[in-house]
Amino acid sequence: MSLSSIERAALSDLLDEVGPDAPTLCEGWTARDLAAHLVIREGRPDANAGIIIPPMSSWTRRVQDKAAQRDFTELVERVRTGPPTFSMFNLPGVDANANAFEYLVHHEDVRRAQPDWAPRELPAKAVDSMWARLEKSGGKFIFRRATTGVTLRRPSGESFVARPGEPM
């Protein structure tokens, strides 16, 4: 199983466990909102533009809010079963490459918002995969709006600057 498949399944199970009103670390989002985000991300490319293009954000928000009105069990099942047949995320390799990071991070967004959460030990392969994604481009994108410099550092000491600036 790919990391994206493992994290997708684990996140879906956790969403079922915590329910639609559970908090997440995504500011202003409940578990329902996060599930709706994942469903439209894979199934509504027209609505994804607002994630990157600020003038489109109101469209993205409207589509996501409408998706969030669906039955929560249905939303979670859509997350669990993966991208729709004609989604770009169904192309060979795209799910594994584009979703491993997304699902691992959102799994943690739900896990860490729960009162009894505890750190989990990720397999070295997963950690290396996430680090490679951050180092190649993800880190610069994620921290592009940071108001300070950001250096990402592994416990081994390896590091890179995701966003230059002072203070660092």
Side-chain angles (χ1 to χ4, degrees):
M1 270 180 105
S2 68
L3 179 59
S4 62
S5 297
I6 292 166
E7 290 298 317
R8 177 190 298 277
L11 173 57
S12 298
D13 290 346
L14 182 58
L15 289 169
D16 277 339
E17 180 185 321
V18 301
D21 299 321
T24 73
L25 295 184
C26 299
E27 188 176 336
W29 282 7
T30 63
R32 175 185 297 281
D33 299 314
L34 191 138
H37 159 73
L38 293 169
V39 167
I40 69 160
R41 180 179 175 271
E42 293 182 334
R44 291 289 306 268
D46 63 305
N48 288 332
I51 295 169
I52 299 170
I53 305 167
M56 299 286 295
S57 63
S58 62
W59 172 247
T60 299
R61 190 170 33 263
R62 279 197 306 271
V63 173
Q64 183 171 316
D65 289 347
K66 185 172 182 182
Q69 293 173 6
R70 292 181 176 162
D71 176 71
F72 185 67
T73 302
E74 176 192 336
L75 279 172
V76 174
E77 191 57 27
R78 292 275 311 272
V79 172
R80 185 184 313 282
T81 57
T85 303
F86 296 107
S87 170
M88 71 175 205
F89 291 96
N90 244 343
L91 295 171
V94 175
D95 181 57
N97 290 319
N99 281 338
F101 190 83
E102 182 84 2
Y103 279 87
L104 187 138
V105 168
H106 284 318
H107 184 192
E108 291 300 315
D109 287 333
V110 177
R111 283 183 73 255
R112 293 176 185 213
Q114 306 317 304
D116 59 344
W117 84 276
R120 66 179 171 142
E121 188 76 26
L122 293 171
K125 184 177 177 181
V127 173
D128 290 344
S129 172
M130 293 303 100
W131 184 257
R133 175 72 186 261
L134 285 167
E135 203 169 28
K136 286 180 186 173
S137 63
K140 291 184 186 314
F141 179 75
I142 291 167
F143 296 104
R144 71 191 181 283
R145 293 189 182 120
T147 58
T148 66
V150 177
T151 297
L152 301 177
R153 184 169 289 115
R154 292 178 85 155
S156 66
E158 184 182 357
S159 67
F160 77 94
V161 175
R163 172 116 168 83
E166 291 297 330
M168 179 60 72

